[in-house]
Amino acid sequence: QQPVQSPQAVILREGEDAVINCSSSKALYSVHWYRQKHGEAPVFLMILLKGGEQKGHDKISASFNEKKQQSSLYLTASQLSYSGTYFCGTEGWGSNYKLTFGKGTLLTVNP
Amino acid sequence: NAGVTQTPKFQVLKTGQSMTLQCAQDMNHNSMYWYRQDPGMGLRLIYYSASEGTTDKGEVPNGYNVSRLNKREFSLRLESAAPSQTSVYFCASSEDRGREQYFGPGTRLTVT
């Protein structure tokens, strides 16, 4: 089952914050986050493993609530370079490490 | 390091034609993947190879075959192309299963 991402699209001004959510109907072992700019390949951001770990780099962080099968990606003080489509990929228990990706969230950061 | 390379970048096929998409990685990764990306659908796994010598079906394997030629190379074959296979195809690799994946630049395939 494909995870559900929300919102589908968000428009920000530079410096504003955003939260992107990823929900699954199945028990998850891990959640991966990727960003894809138009016409380019997806680029890895971070992996969250079960246990509610919060990881981050720069001003992008994420959390994983394994009880709710949800992950959230937090973008703080957004920069123009944050624009792109964000995908979560979920790995379910027993899925043999296969990722199922959501449909993506289009983030646009304007000056 | 080139990372993950894919050939060709663009391809137009007629219905019924066959072709092979090539993928190679120079990071000594064990696992390799083929995805397709359609507008509004996200990335869908076609096949993957957890390690050299093994392959497994993903979410949308029908109409495709794969070969893990060696540790570096993982090819995707369309035996009889159909318009429904018009898509952007991405190859990816990871050090091992469950680790972060590195994607190639993609192949844009159109089947008429």
Side-chain angles (χ1 to χ4, degrees), chain A residues 42-69:
Chain A
V43 174
F44 170 77
L45 292 175
M46 64 191 74
I47 292 176
L48 298 107
L49 302 177
K50 66 177 182 66
E53 297 178 44
Q54 187 154 354
K55 299 204 178 241
H57 66 92
D58 291 334
K59 293 176 181 169
I60 300 176
S61 63
S63 63
F64 177 25
N65 186 328
E66 62 177 301
K67 289 184 180 178
K68 293 186 177 180
Q69 315 309 329

Side-chain angles (χ1 to χ4, degrees), chain A residues 1-5 21-34 69 71 86-104, chain B residues 33-36 41-46 48 57-60 98-99 101 103:
Chain A
Q1 292 87 343
Q2 192 171 30
V4 176
Q5 289 187 231
N21 299 303
C22 175
S23 296
S24 175
S25 59
K26 60 182 181 180
L28 298 179
Y29 177 75
S30 72
V31 180
H32 298 217
W33 285 97
Y34 290 80
Q69 315 309 329
S71 179
Y86 289 77
F87 293 98
C88 67
T90 57
E91 179 190 346
W93 286 92
S95 70
N96 202 19
Y97 302 96
K98 297 177 194 176
L99 286 184
T100 304
F101 284 90
K103 293 183 179 181
Chain B
Y33 313 82
W34 277 106
Y35 293 93
R36 61 178 288 173
M41 294 294 293
L43 294 151
R44 291 184 293 170
L45 183 65
I46 305 171
Y48 81 109
K57 294 178 181 178
E59 189 182 345
V60 287
R99 301 290 296 273
Q101 295 183 20
F103 285 78

